[in-house]
DNA sequence: TTGAAAGCGCTAACAA
DNA sequence: TTGTTAGCGCTTTCAA
């Protein structure tokens, strides 16, 4: 038997073992282990010492099963989205600070969001943080009837679902404003084409252009959330008359745009400025240096965790909408002097 | 109370509810729910119907706690590594096919691998699949004493740990062979600089060069696993005498190399060929089209799950080492006619 | 401050 | 084929 090298059936040490070895009852040992009050200092130290010696680790299944306060936060995210990963990392940090544990459930090509959420519910989570949820509103509402549900990055909400997000309108406006202040007039938007938050960003683009008296120059191209989409859309764009600047739906899309521009023999930002959205790791790569709107993943994550905590304490959550910030890097510059 | 809209304390329906409603014992209901044998056809249908009506979902904590056969596979992976995500997706698919459930635990900047594994152990997994593990051998061995541990992508093993991987030596050799057959002689390797599998790949590069009588041209540069590393290393490279080709440690590193080459005003593959490693989504992007060595994530994942299954059945695992395959795209071409 | 007893929701022997 | 009986390891009253 490879699991029991010595042939001895080494059971995992349980709380009962610790209690016995320390000469106390299981209940008391339990109190000590979870740091609850009701144990004398001497006992507490002794139990802790014994637990350490025996290499005791509480069994999370049993603990979760018994207590209604599991302090467990469920998170759904998409494996193929790097930015989701950044948010998840931040959620770990924020949750730990608030004394929560985190359990992950991935959404992928072969794993629909419904399955991801349900497995979390079965695991005994107290609240669900869903990153860019794609489920139908009535499904989301059904989940929200079981635990508090917080939707991140997406504006699509539902009955009982809290939405923690950055103000996409303000973000896009900041990008347009930045470009206009650099002298650009022909600012094109390559949209998210049905992706989460796409409509809100397009609307903000239109509004901002109008605000700056550039209604006549409004032009929205059908893009998408990935490199390929940006490449395709920008490919068509540069085949015609070159605009001054492109506001891309997100960073990945912007990367595709950059490539298309490059292929057309144009220089960024001399011939054309480009902005992204997310301020993801991608945008920060030294060879990319993409001007991008930061959603500030750490702050968003902290707000989401705080929102969950508030709901669990039957309080009204706050700080649900955050102000994004434009991070200017090297893909935007003064407008070219065109004919 | 937002969770109980009607004020009725709606408990989650349990197996007992289903049993009562169907007029059978809990044990029998359990048999039906998990598809075990020992229930009459009529009862089975009735129980199933009642369960559906009541919206019953088994509580995974209770189920896990009770049964020793949890059919639960734990997976550790790094959030910031896109290729890990690809492997995880494939593990989901493979595990499902083999009747396993999967629980994820991420490694991140603020979450060491040790914590990731321990939380899995506490969750009651039957085996751990660790993607590119970085723990010390004695730690890995300690984990392996508790459950079968399978290490993916990495060759670093430990007592009792199975390693499922592709033959990196063969992969690098295939890349070098491909380049040599295209007429390249000055083939430089930008290594992984201490990353998982880096040493094996460098060694294979040296061996392959030697094999082709190119010992004199062996040149290994200090690189790394990310874009920045490739960019830096290749930046230094192109500042000197330009080689014929570069074998990069992995795809992300290769991307950095491509950028450096581009900046130097050189064309790929006309002036210089570049190969990556992983055949990740990145390499397949239409604007990248990177020639890369495929680790075949789906096959690797299937092998890892099969390995876990074998260990759990006290059988010897097989198919631990896979033959990688070179995927030729557009970053490699005939050697330039140089002076 | 401590301990006894009950039970979270489920599965697995066993007996009927 | 069905039901009974015992727990899995832990937390949580309640009494001592």
């Amino acid at each position: 038997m490879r699991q029991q090298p010595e042939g001895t059936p080494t059971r995992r040490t349980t709380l009962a073992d610790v209690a016995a070895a320390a000469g106390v009852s299981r209940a008391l040992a339990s109190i000590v282990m979870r740091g609850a009050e009701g144990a004398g200092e001497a006992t507490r130290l002794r139990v802790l010492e014994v637990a350490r010696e025996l290499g005791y680790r509480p069994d999370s299944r049993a603990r979760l099963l018994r207590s209604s306060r599991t302090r467990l936060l469920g998170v759904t995210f998409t494996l193929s989205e790097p930015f989701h990963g950044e948010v998840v990392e931040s959620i770990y940090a924020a949750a730990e600070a608030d004394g929560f544990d985190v359990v992950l459930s991935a959404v992928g090509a072969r794993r629909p969001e419904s399955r991801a959420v349900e497995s979390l519910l079965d695991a005994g989570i107290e609240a669900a943080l869903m990153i860019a949820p794609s489920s139908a509103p009535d499904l989301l509402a059904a989940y929200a009837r079981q635990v508090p549900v917080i939707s991140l990055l997406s504006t699509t909400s539902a009955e009982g679902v809290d939405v923690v997000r950055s103000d996409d309108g303000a973000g896009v406006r900041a990008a347009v404003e930045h470009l206009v202040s650099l002298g650009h007039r022909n600012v094109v938007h390559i949209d998210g084409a049905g992706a989460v938050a796409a409509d809100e960003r397009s609307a903000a683009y239109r509004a901002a252009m109008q605000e700056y008296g550039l209604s006549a120059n409004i032009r929205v191209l059908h893009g998408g959330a990935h490199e390929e989409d940006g490449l395709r859309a920008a490919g068509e764009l540069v085949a015609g008359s070159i605009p001054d600047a492109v506001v891309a739906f997100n960073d990945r899309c912007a990367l595709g745009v950059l490539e298309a521009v490059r292929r057309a023999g144009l220089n960024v930002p001399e011939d054309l400025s480009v902005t992204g959205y997310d301020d993801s790791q991608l945008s920060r790569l030294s060879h990319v240096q993409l001007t991008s709107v930061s959603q500030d993943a750490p702050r968003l994550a902290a707000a989401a965790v705080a929102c969950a905590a508030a709901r669990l304490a039957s309080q009204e959550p706050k700080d649900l909408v955050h102000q994004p910030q434009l991070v200017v890097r090297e893909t935007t510059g003064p407008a070219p002097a065109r004919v």
Side-chain angles (χ1 to χ4, degrees), chain A:
Chain A
M1 300 305 296
R2 79 193 271 287
Q3 258 127 279
Q4 296 110 17
E6 271 100 39
T8 340
T10 54
R11 248 179 46 274
R12 188 176 167 153
T13 44
T14 75
L15 188 61
D17 300 329
V18 175
V24 298
S25 72
R26 273 159 50 216
L28 189 50
S30 169
I31 287 175
V32 173
M33 288 319 296
R34 70 198 131 95
E37 52 189 47
E41 193 53 23
T43 343
R44 143 164 273 115
L45 288 174
R46 184 155 41 88
V47 171
L48 250 25
E49 170 62 16
V50 169
R52 219 184 39 72
E53 266 173 24
L54 266 47
Y56 169 71
R57 306 210 84 231
D59 184 311
S60 69
R61 297 165 293 178
R63 169 173 283 183
L64 258 35
L65 177 57
R66 183 57 228 230
S67 47
S68 42
R69 283 281 82 98
T70 60
R71 302 291 296 172
L72 201 59
L73 250 35
V75 176
T76 64
F77 70 109
T78 303
L79 279 166
S80 56
E81 292 292 351
F83 188 59
H84 288 202
E86 294 183 35
V87 175
V88 171
E89 277 225 42
S90 296
I91 288 178
Y92 266 118
E96 182 176 18
D98 279 21
F100 283 103
D101 273 333
V102 169
V103 52
L104 257 38
S105 194
V107 174
R110 324 241 325 177
R111 198 163 193 261
E113 191 170 84
S114 56
R115 188 116 55 87
V117 185
E118 276 157 14
S119 87
L120 290 177
L121 258 16
D122 298 342
I125 57 164
E126 280 196 89
L129 310 191
M130 300 180 67
I131 303 182
S134 58
S135 297
D138 56 331
L139 258 179
L140 285 182
Y143 302 143
R145 248 170 268 130
Q146 306 177 56
V147 294
V149 171
I150 290 102
S151 158
L152 273 105
L153 304 191
S154 158
T155 58
T156 52
S157 180
E159 179 87 36
V161 174
D162 291 315
V163 177
V164 171
R165 60 185 186 93
S166 57
D167 182 344
D168 279 17
V172 171
R173 195 174 322 115
V176 172
E177 190 171 48
H178 167 64
L179 292 168
V180 169
S181 77
L182 284 168
H184 299 275
R185 315 254 105 200
N186 252 311
V187 179
V188 172
H189 177 50
I190 296 184
D191 76 4
V196 159
D199 291 345
E200 191 175 1
R201 290 187 196 167
S202 315
Y205 158 79
R206 289 176 208 276
M209 288 294 280
Q210 203 142 22
E211 201 174 301
Y212 288 105
L214 297 172
S215 313
N217 296 334
I218 289 179
R219 189 162 164 215
V220 177
L221 265 65
H222 186 267
H226 299 136
E227 290 86 351
E228 309 289 2
D229 304 311
L231 182 62
R232 181 185 32 70
E236 293 166 17
L237 185 67
V238 294
S241 76
I242 318 285
D244 296 342
V246 172
V247 172
F249 169 68
N250 68 6
D251 286 350
R252 293 184 67 181
C253 178
L255 249 52
V257 172
L258 288 177
E259 177 59 25
V261 169
R262 210 168 215 167
R263 281 192 195 171
L266 299 171
N267 292 315
V268 172
E270 291 78 11
D271 300 317
L272 182 70
S273 289
V274 177
T275 67
Y277 207 109
D278 279 347
D279 184 39
S280 59
Q281 299 287 356
L282 237 45
S283 68
R284 287 174 228 159
L285 289 175
S286 67
H287 67 278
V288 175
Q289 291 296 329
L290 177 69
T291 292
S292 186
V293 178
S294 170
Q295 299 218 46
D296 198 346
R299 262 194 38 190
L300 229 41
V305 171
C307 176
R311 283 298 183 197
L312 291 174
S314 299
Q315 295 166 355
E316 275 304 304
K318 42 184 186 175
D319 294 332
L320 298 183
V321 179
H322 288 252
Q323 286 316 308
Q325 200 140 16
L326 185 73
V327 180
V328 178
R329 295 204 182 84
E330 299 170 12
T331 58
T332 49
R338 286 253 169 75
V339 207

